[in-house]
Amino acid sequence: MHAPDIDLSAHASKLRVLNEIRRRGRVARVDIARATALSRPTVTALTAELIEDGLVVETGGEPDAAPSQRGRPPVLLGLNPDAHYVFGVKIAPHRVAVSIANFVGEVIASHAITVRAGHRSAREVAGLVAAGIEETARISGLPVARAAGVGIGLPGFIDNETGICRWSPVFAEADVDFRAMMEGLVGGPVEIDNDANMVALAEKWFGLGREASDFVVVTMEHGVGMGLVIDDKLHRGAMRFGSEFGHTKIRPDGALCRCGQRGCVEAYVADYALVRDASVFMATGDISDPIEVQRAVDELVAAARAGDEIALALYRRAGEMLGRGV
């Protein structure tokens, strides 16, 4: 059977219009045409399709908007918040956090589970994530089956294209087909990516990055991550791990990183590195336990804010190493 032809050009134009509406929040058709270089009749036709699809709604005119030729403010378009919702999951060594967001990126429900996820089997972690999703669905009254999908961010070398986690500090094993594993548990589409990449995408779609075509996001917690946007696109590199800033080497034969190599930025800046260095003057507990590390970090932050010179010195050194890496 011959598959029906898809007008890829029309599809791409429709996506451009949708992205412009998302980027601007509320925008008139004439401004969409100006920004996308599409003709006004084309924009009118495409926005009509998006409204019919339930993705876009007319929101009325701004009181101070420039009047149209007929003397009335232009009708503005915006994304329909209720068009879709998704589950978002952040996996960290000490916590699994689940949120539900609507089509404009607003969080409408959230739930977090304190766990010791570091170096557990992928199936154990997948079970914890599935339980967190189910609990969040119960709290919100929004069933998982009605969601457009699930997005999961986790630290490590994540191949978004294949859904395979090549390495992560939360898994005991390498080369885990975590996307397929989670799809089997939730019964719907799942996307996985490096957590810093997801932060960069969130900033590009709904945050400070909407007006910037090139920017960098650096995250610092149990690890150090980077999301890099170039020409309005997330940069992944030839091997799809292009922004693994935390494992950039800044000191040959330096401190041991949890990836097994030495001299990484993360080995001087991440939470576990700070706690390791702080263990010489404070009781930090078992630094292989992510919950103990989090407790120790909270104490270290409190000490620094109180003016403790040793704690401040640790953070100054971490800041210097981070600056060298950047």
Side-chain angles (χ1 to χ4, degrees), residues 190-257:
V190 173
E191 289 289 333
I192 74 165
D193 208 336
N194 174 271
D195 48 4
N197 281 346
M198 285 194 162
V199 174
L201 285 176
E203 290 293 347
K204 181 60 187 172
W205 292 345
F206 301 110
L208 296 174
R210 283 189 289 188
E211 301 300 325
S213 59
D214 307 275
F215 64 90
V216 172
V217 171
V218 177
T219 62
M220 294 169 289
E221 44 186 355
H222 284 271
V224 177
M226 173 184 282
L228 175 60
V229 172
I230 301 175
D231 290 336
D232 290 314
K233 295 180 180 178
L234 185 68
H235 174 72
R236 296 187 182 279
M239 300 300 292
R240 299 189 287 277
F241 310 122
S243 299
E244 274 300 331
F245 168 66
H247 301 288
T248 300
K249 306 299 180 288
I250 57 173
R251 179 166 292 180
D253 300 321
L256 180 65
C257 179

Side-chain angles (χ1 to χ4, degrees), residues 91-94 116-121 125 154-158 165-174 194-195 222-224 244 247 257-259 266 272 288 290:
I91 305 175
H94 70 297
R116 288 176 170 84
H119 300 292
R120 298 178 72 157
S121 76
V125 176
L154 66 160
F157 303 142
I158 316 300
C165 173
R166 296 301 180 188
W167 173 84
S168 173
V170 301
F171 295 149
E173 62 266 61
N194 174 271
D195 48 4
H222 284 271
V224 177
E244 274 300 331
H247 301 288
C257 179
R258 63 181 174 177
C259 73
E266 182 175 299
Y272 72 87
S288 67

Side-chain angles (χ1 to χ4, degrees), residues 7-178:
D7 188 342
L8 296 179
S9 176
H11 180 76
S13 296
K14 194 173 180 179
L15 186 60
R16 285 171 63 194
V17 170
L18 185 66
N19 278 332
E20 186 63 22
I21 296 171
R22 174 195 50 74
R23 186 180 73 83
R24 301 280 287 271
R26 298 176 71 196
V27 60
R29 291 173 175 85
V30 62
D31 293 322
I32 296 173
R34 189 178 297 116
T36 60
L38 296 170
S39 69
R40 292 190 185 185
T42 297
V43 169
T44 298
L46 292 174
T47 54
E49 291 180 21
L50 290 168
I51 291 172
E52 185 178 353
D53 294 340
L55 301 177
V56 169
V57 292
E58 292 184 336
T59 64
E62 293 280 3
D64 58 349
S68 66
Q69 293 179 349
R70 297 179 182 178
R72 291 180 296 180
V75 174
L76 302 183
L77 302 174
L79 296 184
N80 178 7
D82 300 321
H84 294 287
Y85 67 86
V86 296
F87 284 83
V89 180
K90 165 66 184 293
I91 305 175
H94 70 297
R95 183 174 62 183
V96 172
V98 183
S99 296
I100 303 175
N102 63 16
F103 199 50
V104 297
E106 297 169 338
V107 175
I108 55 181
S110 60
H111 178 64
I113 307 170
T114 299
V115 298
R116 288 176 170 84
H119 300 292
R120 298 178 72 157
S121 76
R123 293 224 167 261
E124 284 184 279
V125 176
L128 293 170
V129 172
I133 290 173
E134 288 293 340
E135 180 61 15
T136 310
R138 186 192 66 78
I139 293 169
S140 66
L142 296 171
V144 180
R146 284 183 48 205
V150 175
I152 301 175
L154 66 160
F157 303 142
I158 316 300
D159 189 336
N160 170 261
E161 185 175 306
T162 64
I164 294 175
C165 173
R166 296 301 180 188
W167 173 84
S168 173
V170 301
F171 295 149
E173 62 266 61
D175 297 323
V176 176
D177 192 348
F178 197 61

